[in-house]
Amino acid sequence: GAWRGDGAGGERSGSAWAALTGSEPDLGACVAWVGTPRAGAVATFSGVTRGSFGGRAVLRLEYEAYAPMALRELKRICGEVLEMGCERVAIVHRLGDVLVGGTSVAIAASSAHRAPALAAVQYAIDAVKASVPIWKKEFYEDGEVWKENAEWEGGRRRLVQVSPG
């Protein structure tokens, strides 16, 4: 259906919810959103800040985005997930500071049987990292650095295996 604002920095259609939030993404709300009597499976993914990277202690992460384009890309990814045989999908990404143990992204997908939902959450996180204009800065005990996703190389998008087929 038509996309409409959800009142919380995102948009929902009849079967998809794409959002950017300044607070912790609520995986439970995502699971509740994707639930439907037609779905026998709900799969989820949570991206959580780990306490170290490359032997350095991580204090926190900071996410920034070009919000209009990021939301448009999240909606596009939701549409692709629905084409994979899912009933519903939710992708909610946090902006701002995320402490160690905090959630930066929550994804949920539902389908009649488990295979499409499981494939969808893997596809969705890979596609988010490859194409959504969200940038991450890592703060360490001894400094800070803007991080480039592994899906990007030298400032150019690298083709990665994210096709639903």
Side-chain angles (χ1 to χ4, degrees):
W3 287 89
R4 64 188 183 286
D6 67 3
E11 295 184 17
R12 298 184 195 207
S13 71
S15 54
W17 176 21
L20 299 169
T21 179
S23 58
E24 180 116 353
D26 184 342
L27 186 61
C30 292
V31 168
W33 167 255
V34 302
T36 167
R38 295 178 307 283
V42 173
T44 65
F45 173 82
S46 295
V48 179
T49 301
R50 60 185 173 268
S52 66
F53 183 82
R56 298 170 78 185
V58 173
L59 301 176
R60 66 184 171 91
L61 303 179
E62 181 182 294
Y63 288 93
E64 292 185 9
Y66 176 58
M69 184 182 288
L71 189 57
R72 188 167 56 245
E73 280 295 298
L74 291 175
K75 289 166 54 175
R76 182 187 62 75
I77 293 165
C78 284
E80 292 173 350
V81 165
L82 294 172
E83 291 174 6
M84 296 172 68
C86 287
E87 295 289 332
R88 282 187 158 198
V89 59
I91 305 173
V92 179
H93 203 295
R94 187 171 180 177
L95 299 179
D97 288 345
V98 183
L99 299 177
V100 171
T103 301
S104 55
V105 62
I107 299 171
S110 64
S111 57
H113 304 283
R114 70 182 176 270
L118 288 168
V121 294
Q122 173 79 54
Y123 173 81
I125 191 57
D126 289 346
V128 165
K129 286 183 160 281
S131 68
V132 180
I134 296 175
W135 301 278
K136 176 174 69 174
K137 191 175 197 179
E138 290 191 356
F139 290 83
Y140 304 102
E141 290 178 339
D142 62 348
E144 58 195 54
V145 64
W146 284 101
K147 297 296 293 231
E148 189 172 76
N149 282 324
E151 293 78 9
W152 290 76
E153 241 176 35
R156 295 183 55 198
R157 185 172 162 191
R158 189 180 83 209
L159 296 178
V160 291
Q161 180 64 37
V162 293
S163 66

